[in-house]
Amino acid sequence: MKITINGQEKTCAAQLDIAALLETEGYAGKLVAVALNGTFIPKSRHKETILNEGSAIEILAPMQGG
Amino acid sequence: MIKTDRYARQIVLPEIGEAGQDRLARASVLCVGAGGLGCPALLYLAAAGVGRIGVIDADTVDLSNLQRQVLFSTAQVGENKALAAAERLRHLNPEIQVEAYPERLTAENSVKLFPAYDLIIDGTDNFSSKFLINDASLACGVPFIYASILGFEGQIGVFGLEDGPCYRCLFPHAPEGDVPTCAQAGVIGALAGMMGAMQAMEAVKIIVGHERFAPLSGKLWTIDARDMAPRVLSLPRSPDCPICHETKEHIMFGLFQNSSPRVPDLSPVEARSHSGALFVDVREANEWDAGHIEGAQHFALSRLLQGQTPDWPKDREIILYCAHGQRSLQAAKILQKQDYTNLSNMAGGYAAWCSAR
């Protein structure tokens, strides 16, 4: 199915959850915040949150500049 | 008596008016860091007539700062930033009071300074200061306007406002290892200007409090200036947040515990694999009765705080947990002082344990 990650369209397996998506995208073990369709999803819900066709994902790394 | 000529262009706005201008004049804002974000934020706050402005920064002006830190002139290279900023702001608007603190923000001075202001602006450039501002802001009950910039990207949000989220709802802790700074990865000055001006805009909105103003609380606004694509992401309070479900007293205690050796965090999944470890629940009896980890022992933080001592072997591997991970960290700090040598804190607490099942 097709989803978007940070505005870029991608094809991924059906029934993928957020935790599995982070693993396939190379974010395993990295500290990131993830929003699904415009709302941040707490890490404890990543495994139970299943993506759908057209899901829009934002992956944000912490940023410290000022 | 407000000198209305200076503020005529904003008093004419129906959302501001004389009443809003009076609120600005009676308001106080502390800006932590007079850098790329702090400089534009401070300029707009002073120009708008915010009655009392504080600036805290231990750094001195460097030539490489001038590309984005627009408060300073070339002649001020080498001067302390807080003092140099205050001088410039007093020239810009002699009607306001400016207080300079040429020192580094610490747990000690943050809890003294923050309650003396209505709002905090996070103009810092490092994670330890950002988490310190977050925790001190929650402990003192003073909201803060967060922003970060790097390269062409920026993010901004309002934290600690009423029932809104905090910075740890977004990122529970600082990342391990090396994360680029502006010195390493670079930053474009105009982006710092945009984000700092937005922080001032949010401050004005919160201070004036007009019903048509919606501050960026419960939201994170991000921008990539390369294509000017903004995103507004909804950020509810997180059930995983290690801090903002705790009492102000606990948060205050936690602020001053960071100096002792670090207690390692274990995720619930990692904790489960430590089969020989002793799990200790430090929540109160009613919480324990409502459900706990099988095989765990109960020893409430309140008993530790009263000076009661458990009698576990000092070298036993002990994994502490509470509801969300903050009280157990406090308990770990106390047990460290009782010479327990093999302590871990279960990140996210019993809530995370249950949802990881």
Side-chain angles (χ1 to χ4, degrees):
Chain A
M1 62 181 187
K2 286 204 169 87
I3 58 169
T4 58
I5 301 175
N6 294 348
Q8 305 275 333
E9 200 166 274
K10 290 228 170 179
T11 305
C12 73
Q15 291 295 303
L16 197 66
D17 63 66
I18 292 180
L21 174 81
L22 289 177
E23 212 155 285
T24 56
E25 290 296 313
Y27 291 100
K30 290 201 176 124
L31 179 68
V32 288
V34 181
L36 170 62
N37 299 329
T39 301
F40 283 102
I41 308 292
K43 193 179 174 192
S44 60
R45 307 228 169 105
H46 283 185
K47 261 194 159 64
E48 68 200 43
T49 307
I50 311 290
L51 306 179
N52 295 312
E53 177 76 32
S55 288
I57 305 288
E58 295 285 335
I59 302 174
L60 246 86
M63 196 190 273
Q64 64 181 337
Chain B
M1 185 65 193
I2 295 166
K3 297 196 179 82
T4 49
D5 275 2
R6 181 185 287 269
Y7 310 115
R9 295 299 181 277
Q10 63 195 45
I11 289 174
V12 76
L13 297 168
E15 292 87 349
I16 310 269
E18 295 279 359
Q21 193 59 50
D22 190 48
R23 286 205 174 126
L24 288 168
R26 284 187 281 114
S28 55
V29 177
L30 175 68
C31 185
V32 184
L37 294 167
C39 285
L42 284 163
L43 280 169
Y44 281 109
L45 292 172
V50 170
R52 191 162 58 86
I53 294 177
V55 194
I56 175 165
D57 201 320
D59 264 4
T60 53
V61 180
D62 185 84
L63 191 61
S64 69
N65 297 152
L66 300 182
Q67 158 258 17
R68 64 195 181 285
Q69 300 182 14
V70 291
L71 269 175
F72 311 121
S73 67
T74 308
Q76 285 174 312
V77 168
E79 288 181 27
N80 169 266
K81 287 186 183 176
L83 298 171
E87 190 190 332
R88 172 76 197 282
L89 297 176
R90 287 185 194 114
H91 283 295
L92 171 63
N93 191 348
E95 296 173 16
I96 62 167
Q97 192 185 333
V98 185
E99 291 152 355
Y101 309 95
E103 56 198 91
R104 193 177 161 73
L105 189 76
T106 61
E108 287 75 16
N109 63 18
S110 64
V111 299
K112 281 187 199 135
L113 282 175
F114 284 18
Y117 291 88
D118 301 322
L119 265 181
I120 311 297
I121 301 254
D122 169 13
T124 65
D125 62 357
N126 63 85
F127 287 121
S128 62
S129 295
K130 288 187 185 294
F131 283 99
L132 172 59
I133 289 174
N134 183 71
D135 298 359
S137 148
L138 294 185
C140 301
V142 184
F144 78 104
I145 302 163
Y146 155 85
S148 269
I149 49 172
L150 194 73
F152 290 89
E153 294 174 31
Q155 45 186 241
I156 175 174
V158 176
F159 293 130
L161 186 67
E162 286 146 18
D163 295 327
C166 79
Y167 182 49
R168 287 185 193 268
C169 291
L170 180 65
F171 296 114
H173 52 82
E176 304 275 333
D178 204 22
V179 173
T181 63
C182 288
Q184 291 159 345
V187 66
I188 188 80
L191 175 78
M194 286 164 59
M195 302 306 291
M198 286 182 73
Q199 288 180 292
M201 183 73 253
E202 289 305 298
V204 167
K205 280 159 60 183
I206 292 167
I207 291 164
V208 172
H210 190 277
E211 59 181 13
R212 289 182 60 191
F213 290 160
L216 277 172
S217 178
K219 290 181 187 124
L220 189 79
W221 190 97
T222 72
I223 184 98
D224 185 335
R226 280 169 289 219
D227 57 4
M228 279 296 184
R231 288 188 170 80
V232 191
L233 301 166
S234 174
L235 176 63
R237 279 182 80 170
S238 169
D240 298 352
C241 180
I243 186 165
C244 77
H245 305 273
E246 301 289 345
T247 63
K248 286 181 180 176
E249 291 70 26
H250 278 121
I251 299 169
M252 186 75 81
F253 186 91
L255 265 178
F256 290 94
Q257 293 304 302
N258 295 335
S259 45
S260 44
R262 196 175 162 273
V263 179
D265 273 343
L266 288 179
S267 71
V269 176
E270 289 167 327
R272 215 178 285 267
S273 69
H274 290 232
S275 51
L278 171 66
F279 283 79
V280 175
D281 189 326
V282 302
R283 298 174 301 162
E284 294 307 310
N286 59 325
E287 297 172 284
W288 163 266
D289 290 340
H292 53 262
I293 295 175
E294 207 187 315
Q297 285 197 21
H298 182 222
F299 203 101
L301 172 64
S302 53
R303 291 176 61 196
L304 288 170
L305 287 168
Q306 286 159 14
Q308 296 185 37
T309 52
D311 54 3
W312 308 306
K314 302 283 184 188
D315 59 352
R316 178 84 194 267
E317 185 186 7
I318 296 169
I319 300 174
L320 297 150
Y321 75 92
C322 61
H324 295 281
Q326 193 68 16
R327 277 178 285 171
S328 51
L329 184 61
Q330 197 175 339
K333 300 288 182 184
I334 295 168
L335 291 172
Q336 270 182 336
K337 295 202 172 71
Q338 296 178 15
D339 301 322
Y340 284 91
T341 54
N342 197 354
L343 300 164
S344 314
N345 183 39
M346 195 170 78
Y350 189 61
W353 173 274
C354 291
S355 58
R357 251 200 291 239

